[in-house]
Amino acid sequence: MEKESHLYATCSAACPVHTDTREYVRRISTGDYEGALDVLLEVNPFSSVCGRICHHPCESQCRRQVIDAPVGLRLLKRFVVENTREYRIQRRKKVEPVLGRKIAVIGSGPSGLTAARDLAMLGYKVTVFEKDSMLGGMLAHAIPRYRLPVDALQEDIDDILALGIESRLNCEVGKDVSFKDLRKEYDAILIAVGLAESHSLPIPGIGSDGILLGIPFLWDVANGSPPTLGDRVMVIGGGNVAIDVARAAKRLGPSQVIMACLESREEMPAWKWEIEEAEEEGISIMNSWGPKAILEQNGKTTGIEFKRCTRVFDENKRFNPQYDESVTTSLDVDSVILTIGQKANLDFLKETTVGVDRGRLICDRESCTATERGVFVSGEVMTGPGSAIQAVATGHDVARAIHHYLETGETLKLPQESIETIGELPAQTAARARKFDHIDVRLTDASQRIKDFSPIEPGYTEAQALSEARRCLACGTGAVLAPSAQCAGCLTCVRICPYGVATVERTASMPAQECLTCGLCAAECPAAGVALARFATNRVKETLESILTDCSAEKIQRPLVVSYCCLYEATSRKYLREQTRSEIEETGILRVMVPCVGRLGSIDLVSPFELGADRVSIIACHETGCLYTGAEELLERRIQQARRFLDEIGVGGESLQFFRTHTSAEESWPQFWRESKEDLRATSAA
Amino acid sequence: MIVADPKPFQEVRGFLENYRKILILGCGTCVTVCLSGGEAQAELLASGLRIAFKKDGKEVTVLEDTVQRQCEQEFVTPVLERVKKEGIDAVVTLACGVGVNFLSDRIGAVPVFPGVNTTFYGGNVEAGLWSEMCAGCGECITYLTGGICPIARCSKHLLNGPCGGSEKGMCEVDPKNTECVWQLIYDRMKLLGRLDEMRNLLPMKDWRPAMDGGVRRTVREHIYRLSYKSQT
Ligand SMILES: Cc1cc2nc3c(=O)[nH]c(=O)nc-3n(C[C@H](O)[C@H](O)[C@H](O)COP(=O)(O)OP(=O)(O)OC[C@H]3O[C@@H](n4cnc5c(N)ncnc54)[C@H](O)[C@@H]3O)c2cc1C
């Protein structure tokens, strides 16, 4: 057990900040959205942003995809954030800068603000310098609003600022305040200025009217003062930024937006889904063309000429485009937006001793340091173009490095992470698992969404989120043999495991890599020696006991029904919420939510009677709903067996009832509970 | 292995009329494997007893425990100590009959009751099904019968079968579930190319190594009563 818990699930391993995905998803499925938020915020202060725009490496590595499709983790994250707003405000607290040391952060992108947060939490006095009028870096200024609305970003930023971080807006280092002055005033400086400038192209005609650069273009669009575009717009570039530029341009009303890039369709660096969405919006893409010249008349752009790009990368996979100059094409266009890469503006370091080499900041990634003592670096200015969550990760790293430096005066070499994951889900295990449709949301219709910058993606409803959350395989939290178990190697687990996972070599073993956490072996183990690492049901009796000792026996509205309900069937938080003592007393119904009632062992079916229950009612999920192969059959047989036993001991097998949800939990469960209560009265009257 | 079935609940309940503190003792080997007396079964029986006693308005404490094998001194000793220390006044063991005896021999004035009926030495034929395969007769004759035991597996324990009750390969005692062992032996001898041996009558069996010869014991001289062990 100890060993397994060190293993990362592949989703968490893939996340640059190693969000404990399984845990927040588990909390969602139990209705504990606040708890889920705690898990998210622990490592990711930009949870709201990431719920909207993260490129979700977690999903790309989700082991569920070999069964059907990955779990919609990004939208689950968004769901959590959107449903815990008040709680998020409540949990804020200011941290007094007790350490007395001062840190200046230059740039308020995700990495700068993450570092600021971590350092403020440690007790440092942090001031963030931002040249723009708004905090957030590219999140605030480049990512178009239809993907990331201002409010979604603001939530994260408000949270961070609440720690007591000072921010100086409209304050450009190098212009409004000098780097040297900061050096004098602050004990450490973090350069987190990102890559705010776009590269241009040295081709004929580039100086003509109608040529724009991608990042400034987006910046202006985001700030509500978009430049005037001609009617036919050409966007040069094939990355995600280019897609954003093209889609933003489309929303400004030109009749044509065309993208052209060196790469073939397959080589395009933009995410597949981004490309598809762009095409839906009527943006066409010309692949394998390189710009040759801008065509102009009287200084005004009239068109663009391309040459065939025959190869983008060389044998060493380095960017090294080759062209066939004899194959050309030209198009009439009025505006061209260049989105072919970004660079940092490091002019503010000109008069300083901080090392810059050909426009690049010299830095050591392992220690997040620049060439001068006390000057640190994080985010894209260090890593090159990446993702928001990666920038957050470097923010955490640099905060550690700065803290170490301020405490010891020494440079911290960040330890190389060695991440051991539980590995892939073997195909033969996946083949035996049940398929469950991934819940997708429908984007606004393309014809509608190009009209303005309104958000195009709806979030999950509660029912959708709960339904998607249960698709999580909870990888690596499955069955484990307790060290004290008297495993006789009886093979019961091997015989009932629906996925062929359990084996016996002297004693039972359920390899974490394969176990799909159905819990059936735990329910059937004759030695009561198997438990689930998480989501365990082997303490049901203790739980019931503690709830019932809290209630006063006389007050309970008899008959007392202990109702085991399928946690995964709930479509709202209504039944997931813990009941109050008086609720149990007044209704005479004690709900126990179980992540699949198939996990209940015989003892769980019988022991409630020992604790004073008059009836046990098991409510399974919908006919087609059970996640786990075989769970229904095993449970039904176990119920038959328990009924015979209850007959024998004089309780009566009919006191153990079994229901299957129809329609929804909200509709059918109360009806089952009524039935349970009435039935008993009928029997006791007779 | 030894196979056992849980005794009817009321029978066990009946043993316990006059006790106040009862220990249900599971066994971690054979009865765990045949799903009749392991830890899970001990928990279940204990729970059932608590419910039944409560229903009858009796104040009885029912405790539960499980040891790896109730047929070993070292495994049983801690339970004996527990019984003494906690003032347990009756034990229900879910081990085979060996466990009942083994405990009774050592436990002093506390009664030990069987919670299961020990049925046979058998094998797990398929998940959930055990079948008798050995009678523990003390002198194995299966070398004569193709490795298949007529004593354990013939309803009449015939040494020279089959009898007239063998029909289409099944035994008349339970034609649905029980194969005629002599049919099995015949088929197997054929497979082994030894069919002609079936012309020979099996000799009379010496039953002295079986129950008839008195209580059986086995000594392994190489570790029995080591002198250096008795000194310490
Ligand atoms: C168009 C676009 C779309 C993107 N889409 C996604 C996406 O969908 N998903 C995703 O995960 N990532 C996306 N990214 C990447 C993500 O935005 C970046 O990885 C991230 O913002 C980098 O953070 P950072 O902290 O390094 O710097 P930045 O976010 O670039 O922030 C740097 C800040 O420093 C300020 N600054 C610079 N110089 C000075 C100075 N001298 N004085 C004061 N302030 C200064 C800038 O004004 C800026 O606010 C996108 C990026 C772009 C450009």
Side-chain angles (χ1 to χ4, degrees):
Chain A
M1 192 162 176
E2 280 73 36
K3 181 150 192 294
E4 252 94 67
S5 59
H6 288 140
L7 291 177
Y8 278 98
T10 48
C11 49
S12 302
C15 176
V17 298
H18 307 313
T19 305
D20 191 350
T21 315
R22 296 174 297 199
E23 183 57 16
Y24 83 76
V25 177
R26 187 191 72 82
R27 292 187 189 193
I28 295 172
S29 60
T30 61
D32 179 12
Y33 309 145
E34 284 87 14
L37 183 75
D38 291 337
V39 173
L40 292 175
L41 292 181
E42 171 100 29
V43 290
N44 185 1
F46 285 92
S47 292
S48 170
V49 165
C50 285
R52 300 279 184 156
I53 57 101
C54 191
H55 67 303
H56 49 73
C58 49
E59 290 185 32
S60 315
Q61 292 302 317
C62 171
R63 303 203 317 159
R64 176 131 213 145
Q65 64 194 307
V66 288
I67 299 172
D68 37 41
V71 178
L73 295 168
R74 178 178 61 80
L75 282 170
L76 284 175
K77 180 173 292 165
R78 174 168 163 191
F79 171 80
V80 170
V81 174
E82 290 183 340
N83 286 276
T84 51
R85 291 215 171 87
E86 274 177 33
Y87 170 72
R88 190 171 186 185
I89 292 168
Q90 282 167 29
R91 76 193 280 291
R92 282 179 190 158
K93 35 175 204 282
K94 194 168 184 290
V95 178
E96 290 305 322
V98 287
L99 298 182
R101 315 289 290 274
K102 288 163 65 182
I103 300 158
V105 174
I106 311 174
S108 68
S111 81
L113 286 183
T114 298
R117 176 193 95 136
D118 288 2
L119 292 164
M121 282 169 73
L122 287 168
Y124 292 104
K125 181 153 178 45
V126 184
T127 309
V128 176
F129 294 85
E130 170 54 57
K131 73 174 156 69
D132 206 273
S133 57
M134 210 184 142
L135 297 176
M138 290 298 178
L139 309 177
H141 306 295
I143 302 183
R145 304 284 191 242
Y146 65 87
R147 291 207 294 126
L148 179 61
V150 180
D151 303 350
L153 168 65
Q154 202 56 45
E155 275 179 63
D156 288 337
I157 291 184
D158 287 347
D159 216 40
I160 295 167
L161 292 183
L163 286 162
I165 294 163
E166 186 192 346
S167 63
R168 302 249 185 97
L169 293 172
N170 301 309
C171 183
E172 181 171 349
V173 177
K175 205 162 110 197
D176 303 303
V177 53
S178 79
F179 186 77
K180 281 189 184 140
D181 288 344
L182 294 187
R183 281 295 273 157
K184 270 184 236 140
E185 204 185 327
Y186 293 89
D187 300 294
I189 295 185
L190 170 59
I191 300 175
V193 294
L195 303 171
E197 300 206 333
S198 289
H199 285 295
S200 184
L201 266 179
I203 54 171
I206 200 73
S208 61
D209 255 8
I211 306 295
L212 302 163
L213 293 175
I215 295 295
F217 167 76
L218 287 173
W219 207 277
D220 292 342
V221 170
N223 291 344
S225 47
T228 337
L229 291 177
D231 193 43
R232 294 160 303 177
V233 178
M234 171 61 70
V235 176
I236 306 293
N240 288 309
V241 179
I243 299 263
D244 276 341
V245 167
R247 293 177 76 183
K250 186 77 190 177
R251 283 160 172 75
L252 297 173
S255 64
Q256 246 187 56
V257 176
I258 304 170
M259 293 178 69
C261 61
L262 301 178
E263 295 89 354
S264 68
R265 175 78 180 214
E266 298 70 46
E267 290 166 329
M268 278 176 76
W271 301 113
K272 194 170 139 270
W273 63 88
E274 293 271 352
I275 300 172
E276 284 164 7
E277 286 172 24
E279 286 180 326
E280 281 166 23
E281 291 173 5
I283 293 159
S284 49
I285 302 172
M286 295 169 56
N287 289 103
S288 306
W289 290 105
K292 189 168 179 194
I294 303 291
L295 311 175
E296 59 171 316
Q297 244 170 25
N298 311 323
K300 264 194 72 171
T301 304
T302 58
I304 179 165
E305 189 184 11
F306 291 103
K307 53 189 174 183
R308 184 48 101 194
C309 176
T310 52
R311 189 189 79 177
V312 186
F313 302 99
D314 63 18
E315 301 76 28
N316 303 322
K317 301 207 166 92
R318 264 197 303 259
F319 182 74
N320 182 9
Q322 302 287 307
Y323 302 97
D324 180 349
E325 306 272 346
S326 67
V327 186
T328 61
T329 184
S330 44
L331 269 84
D332 295 338
V333 297
D334 310 300
S335 310
V336 175
I337 314 177
L338 297 173
T339 314
I340 54 166
Q342 288 147 244
K343 58 184 178 193
N345 181 341
L346 299 171
D347 292 351
F348 67 99
L349 295 175
K350 261 186 189 146
E351 315 272 278
T352 72
T353 50
V354 178
V356 174
D357 176 32
R358 276 166 287 167
R360 289 198 186 176
L361 188 61
I362 303 173
C363 50
D364 174 40
R365 281 190 67 161
E366 274 176 53
S367 57
C368 301
T369 48
T371 53
E372 207 174 285
R373 252 176 80 81
V375 181
F376 295 83
V377 195
S378 73
E380 290 191 338
V381 69
M382 174 173 83
T383 61
S387 62
I389 191 63
Q390 188 193 321
V392 168
T394 66
H396 288 310
D397 287 347
V398 81
R400 278 172 67 194
I402 293 174
H403 179 47
H404 184 84
Y405 165 75
L406 290 178
E407 275 203 319
T408 65
E410 281 172 20
T411 306
L412 173 72
K413 285 265 178 210
L414 291 160
Q416 284 284 313
E417 268 187 315
S418 80
I419 293 172
E420 206 186 326
T421 78
I422 59 170
E424 281 175 27
L425 186 64
Q428 73 270 20
T429 315
R432 300 190 197 186
R434 288 201 174 152
K435 293 187 194 317
F436 276 87
D437 287 342
H438 161 69
I439 299 199
D440 234 339
V441 292
R442 262 183 84 101
L443 301 187
T444 311
D445 218 49
S447 61
Q448 194 60 39
R449 63 187 193 229
I450 57 172
K451 289 185 179 156
D452 55 29
F453 285 81
S454 310
I456 63 171
E457 184 190 54
Y460 278 151
T461 61
E462 183 169 48
Q464 286 177 317
L466 289 171
S467 183
E468 187 66 8
R470 73 179 199 165
R471 294 182 65 246
C472 175
L473 297 172
C475 297
T477 66
V480 266
L481 189 67
S484 61
Q486 312 249 8
C487 176
C490 75
L491 295 161
T492 304
C493 50
V494 176
R495 289 175 182 149
I496 62 155
C497 176
Y499 309 107
V501 170
T503 56
V504 167
E505 267 175 56
R506 289 176 189 278
T507 57
S509 136
M510 283 67 68
Q513 184 177 0
E514 290 154 53
C515 177
L516 294 181
T517 68
C518 68
L520 294 176
C521 56
E524 294 290 347
C525 175
V530 181
L532 289 135
R534 270 200 259 192
F535 258 152
T537 36
N538 48 347
R539 306 205 60 80
V540 170
K541 191 175 163 191
E542 284 87 337
T543 313
L544 279 177
E545 203 161 10
S546 79
I547 297 172
L548 287 173
T549 40
D550 268 1
C551 296
S552 54
E554 319 79 63
K555 280 203 198 141
I556 294 176
Q557 185 67 42
R558 293 281 165 178
L560 170 62
V561 179
V562 167
S563 182
Y564 292 117
C565 311
C566 177
L567 172 85
Y568 293 139
E569 187 54 54
T571 46
S572 76
R573 216 176 186 181
K574 188 168 172 194
Y575 298 131
L576 294 173
R577 281 223 171 82
E578 221 167 271
Q579 289 170 292
T580 61
R581 203 184 56 190
S582 62
E583 203 180 332
I584 297 167
E585 289 167 350
E586 278 158 32
T587 57
I589 291 160
L590 196 174
R591 281 196 312 266
V592 183
M593 303 302 294
V594 186
C596 184
V597 284
R599 294 178 182 198
L600 296 164
S602 303
I603 187 71
D604 304 319
L605 308 184
V606 170
S607 62
F609 295 102
E610 190 186 325
L611 302 172
D614 301 298
R615 178 141 299 197
V616 171
S617 116
I618 300 165
I619 306 181
C621 57
H622 212 262
E623 196 105 50
T624 53
C626 187
L627 277 174
Y628 303 116
T629 315
E632 292 112 322
E633 184 181 349
L634 272 172
L635 176 65
E636 274 173 36
R637 293 204 193 187
R638 213 176 297 137
I639 289 173
Q640 292 311 329
Q641 198 185 26
R643 281 187 180 146
R644 284 195 292 273
F645 186 68
L646 289 169
D647 273 336
E648 275 198 283
I649 66 177
V651 167
E654 69 286 349
S655 309
L656 177 60
Q657 297 192 315
F658 178 68
F659 300 100
R660 197 169 256 301
T661 308
H662 51 77
T663 62
S664 69
E666 277 68 8
E667 262 181 58
S668 57
W669 293 6
Q671 190 188 320
F672 299 149
W673 291 322
R674 266 197 303 280
E675 261 179 59
S676 289
K677 298 209 73 141
E678 277 165 16
D679 239 1
L680 246 200
R681 288 204 191 100
T683 352
S684 51
Chain B
M1 62 177 241
I2 295 172
V3 179
D5 291 333
K7 271 190 178 293
F9 178 83
Q10 286 304 336
E11 187 184 342
V12 178
R13 166 74 182 79
F15 301 149
L16 304 170
E17 212 45 67
N18 301 315
Y19 303 99
R20 294 277 151 270
K21 200 168 193 185
I22 299 162
L23 176 68
I24 312 298
L25 188 62
C27 182
T29 310
C30 303
V31 289
T32 297
V33 175
C34 69
L35 315 182
S36 56
E39 187 165 328
Q41 201 63 33
E43 282 175 4
L44 192 65
L45 178 61
S47 183
L49 284 169
R50 283 190 284 262
I51 296 168
F53 283 130
K54 200 162 143 194
K55 258 184 131 37
D56 297 348
K58 288 191 160 220
E59 270 209 31
V60 179
T61 307
V62 183
L63 306 166
E64 51 207 61
D65 206 344
T66 301
V67 298
Q68 189 172 338
R69 285 198 299 280
Q70 288 187 27
C71 49
E72 310 280 1
Q73 180 77 41
E74 290 85 342
F75 291 147
V76 157
T77 304
V79 178
L80 300 176
E81 280 161 9
R82 178 175 178 189
V83 166
K84 209 167 181 183
K85 205 169 107 204
E86 298 182 20
I88 288 164
D89 56 7
V91 175
V92 176
T93 164
L94 299 184
C96 66
V98 178
V100 187
N101 283 272
F102 207 83
L103 285 172
S104 296
D105 282 351
R106 288 161 177 79
I107 206 167
V110 176
V112 179
F113 298 106
V116 299
N117 292 320
T118 308
T119 45
F120 54 81
Y121 307 143
N124 182 273
V125 185
E126 58 183 286
L129 174 66
W130 286 264
S131 186
E132 181 167 14
M133 294 195 170
C134 172
C137 71
E139 191 200 26
C140 195
I141 56 147
T142 52
Y143 62 99
L144 296 170
T145 55
I148 295 175
C149 178
I151 298 164
R153 298 172 73 178
C154 170
S155 301
K156 292 178 176 168
H157 317 299
L158 287 182
L159 283 183
N160 289 287
C163 71
S166 172
E167 202 171 324
K168 294 198 180 109
M170 303 303 281
C171 169
E172 67 176 343
V173 172
D174 179 13
K176 259 214 190 107
N177 299 308
T178 307
E179 287 164 303
C180 168
V181 77
W182 278 104
Q183 178 75 51
L184 296 178
I185 291 170
Y186 178 91
D187 293 345
R188 177 116 184 102
M189 291 299 268
K190 193 169 166 186
L191 187 69
L192 297 174
R194 289 169 53 194
L195 205 52
D196 54 322
E197 289 177 34
M198 293 207 64
R199 291 210 185 85
N200 310 333
L201 275 184
L202 290 195
M204 281 215 293
K205 182 170 162 53
D206 181 357
W207 287 101
R208 279 170 304 177
M211 296 261 255
D212 297 14
V215 176
R216 291 171 279 178
R217 51 201 295 270
T218 287
V219 171
R220 300 268 175 274
E221 289 296 351
H222 66 291
I223 59 162
Y224 181 61
R225 296 193 175 163
L226 296 168
S227 61
Y228 67 85
K229 288 295 268 192
S230 55
Q231 278 159 21
T232 50

